[in-house]
Protein backbone atom coordinates (compact mmCIF):
# COMPACT_ATOMS: atom_id res chain seq x y z
CA UNK A 1 0.00 0.00 0.00
CA UNK A 2 1.29 3.40 -0.90
CA UNK A 3 1.64 5.61 2.12
CA UNK A 4 0.88 9.21 1.30
CA UNK A 5 1.70 12.30 3.25
CA UNK A 6 -1.11 14.62 4.22
CA UNK A 7 -3.08 15.52 1.13
CA UNK A 8 -3.62 18.99 -0.12
CA UNK A 9 -7.29 19.40 0.79
CA UNK A 10 -7.67 22.21 -1.70
CA UNK A 11 -6.84 19.67 -4.41
CA UNK A 12 -8.58 16.57 -3.14
CA UNK A 13 -11.73 18.49 -2.42
CA UNK A 14 -11.71 20.04 -5.86
CA UNK A 15 -11.17 17.01 -8.03
CA UNK A 16 -10.20 17.27 -11.66
CA UNK A 17 -13.24 17.72 -13.80
CA UNK A 18 -13.89 17.36 -17.46
CA UNK A 19 -15.12 20.68 -18.88
CA UNK A 20 -18.68 19.34 -19.32
CA UNK A 21 -18.88 18.05 -15.76
CA UNK A 22 -17.31 21.22 -14.47
CA UNK A 23 -20.47 23.12 -15.33
CA UNK A 24 -22.19 21.34 -12.46
CA UNK A 25 -20.68 23.46 -9.76
CA UNK A 26 -22.42 21.51 -6.99
CA UNK A 27 -20.22 18.54 -7.77
CA UNK A 28 -17.13 20.41 -6.62
CA UNK A 29 -15.89 20.67 -3.08
CA UNK A 30 -17.91 17.74 -1.83
CA UNK A 31 -17.36 17.50 1.92
CA UNK A 32 -20.02 14.91 2.65
CA UNK A 33 -18.89 11.90 0.63
CA UNK A 34 -16.05 10.48 -1.41
CA UNK A 35 -13.09 8.20 -0.82
CA UNK A 36 -10.80 10.97 0.44
CA UNK A 37 -13.23 12.40 2.97
CA UNK A 38 -11.50 10.96 6.05
CA UNK A 39 -8.17 12.44 5.06
CA UNK A 40 -9.64 15.79 4.11
CA UNK A 41 -11.52 15.89 7.40
CA UNK A 42 -8.38 15.01 9.38
CA UNK A 43 -6.46 17.86 7.74
CA UNK A 44 -9.21 20.38 8.50
CA UNK A 45 -9.53 19.06 12.06
CA UNK A 46 -5.85 19.85 12.64
CA UNK A 47 -6.15 23.22 10.89
CA UNK A 48 -9.22 24.26 12.88
CA UNK A 49 -7.66 23.13 16.15
CA UNK A 50 -4.26 24.81 15.78
CA UNK A 51 -4.83 27.92 13.67
CA UNK A 52 -5.18 30.59 16.36
CA UNK A 53 -4.33 34.29 16.63
CA UNK A 54 -1.15 33.38 18.46
CA UNK A 55 -0.16 30.73 15.90
CA UNK A 56 -0.67 33.07 12.94
CA UNK A 57 1.36 35.84 14.58
CA UNK A 58 4.20 33.40 15.22
CA UNK A 59 4.15 32.29 11.57
CA UNK A 60 4.30 35.90 10.38
CA UNK A 61 7.37 36.38 12.56
CA UNK A 62 8.92 33.09 11.46
CA UNK A 63 8.54 33.60 7.71
CA UNK A 64 8.34 37.39 7.48
CA UNK A 65 12.10 37.76 7.07
CA UNK A 66 12.13 35.62 3.91
CA UNK A 67 15.33 33.86 4.78
CA UNK A 68 14.18 30.37 3.80
CA UNK A 69 15.64 30.30 0.30
CA UNK A 70 16.75 32.33 -2.71
CA UNK A 71 15.29 31.22 -6.02
CA UNK A 72 13.59 32.44 -9.17
CA UNK A 73 9.86 32.08 -9.84
CA UNK A 74 10.52 29.31 -12.37
CA UNK A 75 12.67 27.44 -9.85
CA UNK A 76 9.75 27.59 -7.42
CA UNK A 77 7.37 26.28 -10.10
CA UNK A 78 9.72 23.35 -10.68
CA UNK A 79 10.21 22.80 -6.95
CA UNK A 80 6.49 22.31 -6.38
CA UNK A 81 6.44 19.35 -8.73
CA UNK A 82 8.12 17.37 -5.98
CA UNK A 83 5.48 18.37 -3.46
CA UNK A 84 2.30 17.19 -5.10
CA UNK A 85 3.62 13.71 -5.81
CA UNK A 86 3.94 13.24 -2.07
CA UNK A 87 0.90 15.09 -0.91
CA UNK A 88 -1.85 14.01 -3.26
CA UNK A 89 -1.84 10.49 -4.68
CA UNK A 90 -4.88 11.24 -6.83
CA UNK A 91 -3.30 13.96 -8.88
CA UNK A 92 -0.87 12.10 -11.07
CA UNK A 93 0.57 15.06 -12.92
CA UNK A 94 3.00 17.64 -11.57
CA UNK A 95 1.72 20.75 -9.85
CA UNK A 96 3.29 22.98 -12.50
CA UNK A 97 0.59 21.76 -14.89
CA UNK A 98 -2.04 23.28 -12.59
CA UNK A 99 -0.10 26.54 -12.59
CA UNK A 100 0.15 26.61 -16.39
CA UNK A 101 -3.45 25.40 -16.89
CA UNK A 102 -4.78 28.15 -14.66
CA UNK A 103 -2.60 30.73 -16.39
CA UNK A 104 -3.58 29.57 -19.87
CA UNK A 105 -7.29 29.60 -18.98
CA UNK A 106 -6.94 33.21 -17.87
CA UNK A 107 -4.90 34.07 -20.96
CA UNK A 108 -7.63 32.77 -23.26
CA UNK A 109 -10.37 34.71 -21.50
CA UNK A 110 -8.34 37.86 -20.83
CA UNK A 111 -5.75 38.08 -23.62
CA UNK A 112 -5.00 41.74 -22.92
CA UNK A 113 -4.14 41.32 -19.21
CA UNK A 114 -0.68 39.79 -19.06
CA UNK A 115 -0.40 40.44 -15.30
CA UNK A 116 -3.49 38.27 -14.78
CA UNK A 117 -1.86 35.43 -16.77
CA UNK A 118 1.11 35.62 -14.41
CA UNK A 119 -1.21 35.47 -11.38
CA UNK A 120 -2.33 32.07 -12.65
CA UNK A 121 1.24 30.86 -12.66
CA UNK A 122 2.10 32.38 -9.28
CA UNK A 123 -0.98 31.75 -7.18
CA UNK A 124 0.02 28.45 -5.54
CA UNK A 125 3.77 29.00 -5.27
CA UNK A 126 3.36 29.66 -1.55
CA UNK A 127 3.01 25.91 -1.21
CA UNK A 128 6.81 25.78 -1.13
CA UNK A 129 6.15 26.19 2.61
CA UNK A 130 5.34 22.50 2.70
CA UNK A 131 8.86 21.84 1.44
CA UNK A 132 10.23 24.01 4.25
CA UNK A 133 8.84 21.47 6.71
CA UNK A 134 5.47 23.06 7.42
CA UNK A 135 2.55 20.67 7.97
CA UNK A 136 -0.16 20.57 5.30
CA UNK A 137 -2.75 22.10 7.64
CA UNK A 138 -0.59 25.26 7.80
CA UNK A 139 -0.10 25.48 4.02
CA UNK A 140 -3.15 24.40 2.04
CA UNK A 141 -6.93 24.30 2.21
CA UNK A 142 -9.55 27.00 2.60
CA UNK A 143 -8.65 29.99 4.77
CA UNK A 144 -10.71 31.85 7.40
CA UNK A 145 -10.14 34.81 9.73
CA UNK A 146 -8.72 34.03 13.16
CA UNK A 147 -9.62 36.26 16.09
CA UNK A 148 -13.38 35.98 15.54
CA UNK A 149 -15.96 33.20 15.54
CA UNK A 150 -15.84 31.02 12.41
CA UNK A 151 -18.93 31.57 10.29
CA UNK A 152 -21.36 28.95 9.07
CA UNK A 153 -19.83 28.33 5.63
CA UNK A 154 -16.38 27.39 6.94
CA UNK A 155 -15.96 23.77 5.93
CA UNK A 156 -16.65 21.30 8.77
CA UNK A 157 -17.54 24.32 10.93
CA UNK A 158 -19.60 22.34 13.42
CA UNK A 159 -17.27 19.46 14.15
CA UNK A 160 -13.66 20.66 13.95
CA UNK A 161 -13.26 23.74 16.16
CA UNK A 162 -14.16 22.32 19.58
CA UNK A 163 -10.49 22.05 20.65
CA UNK A 164 -9.41 25.46 19.31
CA UNK A 165 -8.52 27.57 22.39
CA UNK A 166 -9.57 30.82 20.67
CA UNK A 167 -13.17 29.66 20.75
CA UNK A 168 -13.00 29.70 24.56
CA UNK A 169 -11.71 33.29 24.48
CA UNK A 170 -14.38 35.86 25.43
CA UNK A 171 -13.26 38.26 22.66
CA UNK A 172 -12.17 35.93 19.85
CA UNK A 173 -15.31 33.84 20.11
CA UNK A 174 -17.70 36.69 19.22
CA UNK A 175 -18.94 37.43 15.73
CA UNK A 176 -16.69 40.48 15.28
CA UNK A 177 -14.00 39.20 17.60
CA UNK A 178 -10.98 41.50 17.78
CA UNK A 179 -12.06 43.53 14.74
CA UNK A 180 -13.97 46.73 14.11
CA UNK A 181 -16.98 46.54 11.78
CA UNK A 182 -15.93 46.93 8.13
CA UNK A 183 -12.27 47.25 9.08
CA UNK A 184 -11.24 45.79 5.72
CA UNK A 185 -9.78 42.36 5.05
CA UNK A 186 -6.30 43.86 4.82
CA UNK A 187 -6.60 44.41 8.59
CA UNK A 188 -7.85 40.91 9.31
CA UNK A 189 -5.54 38.13 10.45
CA UNK A 190 -6.23 35.19 8.13
CA UNK A 191 -5.41 31.58 8.97
CA UNK A 192 -1.83 30.94 7.90
CA UNK A 193 -1.17 29.23 4.60
CA UNK A 194 0.13 29.57 1.05
CA UNK A 195 -2.12 32.57 0.23
CA UNK A 196 -0.87 34.94 2.93
CA UNK A 197 2.73 33.76 2.63
CA UNK A 198 2.82 34.36 -1.13
CA UNK A 199 1.16 37.76 -0.76
CA UNK A 200 3.80 38.81 1.75
CA UNK A 201 6.59 37.36 -0.35
CA UNK A 202 5.40 39.38 -3.37
CA UNK A 203 5.32 42.56 -1.26
CA UNK A 204 8.74 41.84 0.22
CA UNK A 205 10.28 41.28 -3.21
CA UNK A 206 8.41 44.26 -4.69
CA UNK A 207 6.61 42.48 -7.51
CA UNK A 208 5.62 45.14 -10.08
CA UNK A 209 2.05 43.82 -10.36
CA UNK A 210 -1.21 45.78 -9.93
CA UNK A 211 -3.07 45.70 -6.59
CA UNK A 212 -5.61 43.25 -8.03
CA UNK A 213 -2.85 40.64 -8.45
CA UNK A 214 -1.76 40.91 -4.82
CA UNK A 215 -5.35 40.80 -3.66
CA UNK A 216 -6.34 37.75 -5.71
CA UNK A 217 -3.38 35.75 -4.43
CA UNK A 218 -3.94 36.78 -0.82
CA UNK A 219 -7.58 35.70 -0.71
CA UNK A 220 -7.97 33.00 -3.36
CA UNK A 221 -8.60 30.28 -0.73
CA UNK A 222 -11.04 32.37 1.31
CA UNK A 223 -14.07 30.41 0.05
CA UNK A 224 -16.33 31.36 2.99
CA UNK A 225 -16.07 34.92 1.71
CA UNK A 226 -15.70 34.78 -2.09
CA UNK A 227 -18.01 31.82 -2.66
CA UNK A 228 -20.45 31.87 0.26
CA UNK A 229 -20.71 35.57 1.13
CA UNK A 230 -19.80 35.28 4.81
CA UNK A 231 -17.61 37.77 6.73
CA UNK A 232 -19.18 40.79 5.03
CA UNK A 233 -19.12 42.55 8.44
CA UNK A 234 -15.31 42.73 8.10
CA UNK A 235 -15.27 44.05 4.53
CA UNK A 236 -14.73 47.61 3.40
CA UNK A 237 -15.36 49.18 0.00
CA UNK A 238 -12.03 48.00 -1.36
CA UNK A 239 -12.92 44.39 -0.56
CA UNK A 240 -16.25 44.65 -2.34
CA UNK A 241 -14.52 46.23 -5.34
CA UNK A 242 -11.95 43.41 -5.44
CA UNK A 243 -14.41 40.55 -4.91
CA UNK A 244 -15.27 40.16 -8.64
CA UNK A 245 -11.56 39.74 -9.41
CA UNK A 246 -11.18 36.95 -6.87
CA UNK A 247 -14.30 35.26 -8.22
CA UNK A 248 -13.13 35.63 -11.81
CA UNK A 249 -9.79 34.07 -10.87
CA UNK A 250 -11.50 31.22 -9.03
CA UNK A 251 -13.20 30.02 -12.23
CA UNK A 252 -9.82 29.25 -13.72
CA UNK A 253 -8.27 27.89 -10.53
CA UNK A 254 -11.08 25.32 -10.26
CA UNK A 255 -12.33 24.59 -13.72
CA UNK A 256 -9.20 24.46 -15.85
CA UNK A 257 -8.08 21.24 -14.16
CA UNK A 258 -8.08 18.59 -16.83
CA UNK A 259 -6.07 15.60 -17.86
CA UNK A 260 -5.18 17.15 -21.20
CA UNK A 261 -1.89 18.60 -20.09
CA UNK A 262 -0.43 21.75 -21.58
CA UNK A 263 2.89 21.68 -23.42
CA UNK A 264 4.82 23.36 -20.65
CA UNK A 265 8.07 23.53 -22.61
CA UNK A 266 6.33 25.45 -25.39
CA UNK A 267 4.62 27.82 -22.93
CA UNK A 268 7.64 28.51 -20.80
CA UNK A 269 9.20 31.31 -22.89
CA UNK A 270 5.96 33.34 -22.75
CA UNK A 271 5.77 33.08 -18.98
CA UNK A 272 9.50 33.62 -18.54
CA UNK A 273 9.05 36.94 -20.31
CA UNK A 274 6.25 37.85 -17.85
CA UNK A 275 8.46 36.88 -14.92
CA UNK A 276 11.26 39.02 -16.36
CA UNK A 277 8.83 41.93 -16.69
CA UNK A 278 7.16 41.76 -13.26
CA UNK A 279 9.34 39.77 -10.83
CA UNK A 280 12.78 39.03 -12.29
CA UNK A 281 15.81 37.33 -10.89
CA UNK A 282 16.57 35.36 -7.74
CA UNK A 283 13.96 36.25 -5.13
CA UNK A 284 13.84 35.81 -1.38
CA UNK A 285 11.40 33.20 -0.11
FE1 LIG B 1 -4.17 27.85 -3.81
FE1 LIG C 1 -4.68 26.58 -7.38
Amino acid sequence: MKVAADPDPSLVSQPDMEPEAARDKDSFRNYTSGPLLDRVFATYKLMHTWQTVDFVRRKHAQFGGFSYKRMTVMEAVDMLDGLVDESDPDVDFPNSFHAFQTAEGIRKAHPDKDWFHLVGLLHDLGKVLALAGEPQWAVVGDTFPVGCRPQASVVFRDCTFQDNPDLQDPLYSTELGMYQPHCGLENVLMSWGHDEYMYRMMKFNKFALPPEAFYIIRFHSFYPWHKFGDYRQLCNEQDLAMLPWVQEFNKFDLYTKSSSLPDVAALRPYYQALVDKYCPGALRW
Side-chain angles (χ1 to χ4, degrees), residues 8 10 98 123-125 127 139-141 194-195 217 220-221 249 253:
D8 173 349
S10 71
H98 171 57
H123 77 281
D124 277 342
L125 293 187
K127 292 181 184 176
V139 179
V140 300
H194 69 286
D195 298 50
I217 287 175
H220 77 270
S221 303
F249 170 81
D253 192 9

